[in-house]
């Protein structure tokens, strides 16, 4: 089970670019599928949210090894997709995520620091 992840989130598509935005989304999912096939990532889960008046319209949670995810973020192909996403949608962003045992270690450190600063 993956202990690290990448949260790729976006807001509304730039008006007038809806068709292009959908094509880029499909292309990005294909890229992620290739990363799964090659073993670079464990899995990914795309989510589209219902309209709710907020800034987040959807996200993809990518699961994998922390070092491999860091390496992917430096690749030309990743940078191309992320740049396109930023140009096509509002409030686009990528954030590293901790899951499973890695999250448990982070929370234990958090609690330790709370005690140390009390």
């Amino acid at each position: 089970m993956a202990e690290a992840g990448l949260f790729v989130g976006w807001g509304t598509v730039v008006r007038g670019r809806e068709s292009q935005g959908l094509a880029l989304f499909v292309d990005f999912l294909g890229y992620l599928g290739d990363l799964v096939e090659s073993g670079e990532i464990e899995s990914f889960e795309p989510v589209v949210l219902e309209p709710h008046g907020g800034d987040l319209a959807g996200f993809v949670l990518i699961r994998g090894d922390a070092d491999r995810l860091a390496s992917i973020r430096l690749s030309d192909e990743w940078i191309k997709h992320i740049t396109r996403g930023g140009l096509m949608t509002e409030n686009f962003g990528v954030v590293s995520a901790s899951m499973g045992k890695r999250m448990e270690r982070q929370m234990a450190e958090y609690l330790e620091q709370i005690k140390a600063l009390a």
Side-chain angles (χ1 to χ4, degrees):
M1 177 183 204
E3 293 186 0
L6 294 174
F7 177 93
V8 181
W10 62 88
T12 57
V13 176
V14 174
R15 290 198 189 277
R17 292 193 171 179
E18 293 84 359
S19 293
Q20 288 175 296
L22 182 57
L24 288 178
F25 180 67
V26 169
D27 188 42
F28 184 58
L29 296 182
Y31 165 65
L32 294 176
D34 291 344
L35 292 177
V36 170
E37 279 189 33
S38 68
E40 289 298 309
I41 64 173
E42 185 177 301
S43 65
F44 66 96
E45 184 170 1
V47 177
V48 176
L49 303 174
E50 67 181 12
H52 58 88
D55 293 337
L56 186 63
F59 62 91
V60 177
L61 181 58
I62 303 166
R63 294 176 178 89
D65 173 78
D67 291 334
R68 283 187 172 174
L69 292 174
S71 177
I72 288 166
R73 289 182 82 170
L74 297 174
S75 73
D76 290 341
E77 187 72 9
W78 175 266
I79 292 168
K80 177 189 85 172
H81 285 285
I82 296 310
T83 301
R84 287 177 171 184
L87 291 169
M88 199 58 61
T89 63
E90 302 293 332
N91 304 310
F92 185 86
V94 179
V95 182
S96 295
S98 294
M99 298 175 282
K101 297 288 184 191
R102 184 182 177 103
M103 182 189 69
E104 291 173 16
R105 289 190 303 271
Q106 251 187 317
M107 294 308 295
E109 180 64 27
Y110 180 75
L111 290 171
E112 189 175 314
Q113 294 308 312
I114 288 173
K115 291 175 187 174
L117 295 172

